[in-house]
């Protein structure tokens, strides 16, 4: 297998920190995970830009679409899931509504509450971005056999579960 950036990184660092524990395998795994994450973030940025969305517009539509109630949420629920203030969420929703990607309607059970719903146009632009993101993911996954992909998924799940346990 060809040498990658992480191999060169580990080779550079392994002899620098003799007074610190340095596990080449651990360093290699997590540097590679970070590099893949960075690649996928850039692919997302390219996809979002290509379809004409900003990052925050895409993120808002994405959170709205991947809920237990796809395409529908209160502004407060969206703000909480996105980690933005109520005022920040209002600004985001104003822009999305002006673009025709969402609409705000009164809640059926309490007309004083507002529900945000994605429009057909909003769903279409979100799906276009998702398709482009998916292509980048598929392209990376093609480097592995089905069995390797399943093994990698299983191993990463173990590490993810550990990290979630540690975060509480």
């Amino acid at each position: 297998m060809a040498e990658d950036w992480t191999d060169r990184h580990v080779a550079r660092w392994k002899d620098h920190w003799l007074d610190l524990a340095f596990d080449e395998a651990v360093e290699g795994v997590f540097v590679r995970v970070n590099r893949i994450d960075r690649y996928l973030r850039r692919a997302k940025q390219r996809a979002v830009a290509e379809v004409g969305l900003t990052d925050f517009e895409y993120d808002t539509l994405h959170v709205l679409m991947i809920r237990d109630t796809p395409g529908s949420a209160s502004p407060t629920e969206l703000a909480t899931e996105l980690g933005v203030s109520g005022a920040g969420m209002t600004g985001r929703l104003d822009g999305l509504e002006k673009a025709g990607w969402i609409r705000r309607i009164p809640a059926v059970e309490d007309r004083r509450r507002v529900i945000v719903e994605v429009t057909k146009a909003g769903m279409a632009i979100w799906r276009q971005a998702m398709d482009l993101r998916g292509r980048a993911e598929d392209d990376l996954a093609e480097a592995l056999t089905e069995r390797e992909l399943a093994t990698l998924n299983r191993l990463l799940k173990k590490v993810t579960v550990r990290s979630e346990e540690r975060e509480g």
Side-chain angles (χ1 to χ4, degrees):
M1 183 178 315
E3 182 181 69
D4 68 356
W5 186 93
T6 301
D7 292 329
R8 293 183 296 277
H9 165 81
V10 169
R12 277 191 309 270
W13 285 95
K14 70 180 179 180
D15 296 326
H16 282 46
W17 305 106
L18 301 176
D19 59 328
L20 298 175
F22 184 84
D23 186 318
E24 293 179 35
V26 171
E27 183 75 3
V29 166
F30 293 106
V31 168
R32 285 184 176 97
V33 166
N34 283 322
R35 290 191 62 83
I36 293 166
D37 178 61
R38 185 168 53 200
Y39 173 85
L40 291 173
R41 285 177 191 270
R42 288 179 183 154
K44 174 197 163 194
Q45 289 172 336
R46 286 189 302 273
V48 165
E50 186 172 323
V51 301
L53 291 169
T54 64
D55 281 344
F56 78 83
E57 289 169 335
Y58 172 81
D59 291 343
T60 305
L61 288 171
H62 189 68
V63 165
L64 189 56
M65 291 304 300
I66 64 168
R67 299 176 45 75
D68 291 338
T69 56
S72 177
S74 74
T76 302
E77 291 168 334
L78 291 173
T80 299
E81 290 180 38
L82 288 162
V84 299
S85 68
M89 192 74 251
T90 297
R92 285 184 179 203
L93 295 177
D94 288 347
L96 290 168
E97 191 168 42
K98 185 176 180 181
W101 297 325
I102 60 113
R103 67 177 155 262
R104 291 180 250 200
I105 59 171
V108 174
E109 67 279 358
D110 181 351
R111 298 193 57 76
R112 295 170 295 177
R113 290 186 58 232
V114 171
I115 298 296
V116 177
E117 284 189 343
V118 69
T119 63
K120 287 182 181 179
M123 187 178 301
I125 200 163
W126 173 76
R127 285 178 183 250
Q128 288 172 11
M130 286 294 292
D131 180 57
L132 293 171
R133 281 186 69 188
R135 289 181 199 172
E137 293 169 358
D138 291 345
D139 180 59
L140 290 184
E142 287 174 6
L144 304 173
T145 66
E146 283 187 40
R147 185 174 180 179
E148 289 169 331
L149 189 60
T151 299
L152 179 61
N153 194 30
R154 183 178 48 78
L155 295 172
L156 288 172
K157 181 178 180 178
K158 285 177 74 172
V159 176
T160 301
V161 168
R162 171 70 63 96
S163 74
E164 290 171 353
E165 290 169 354
R166 298 300 189 255
E167 285 186 330

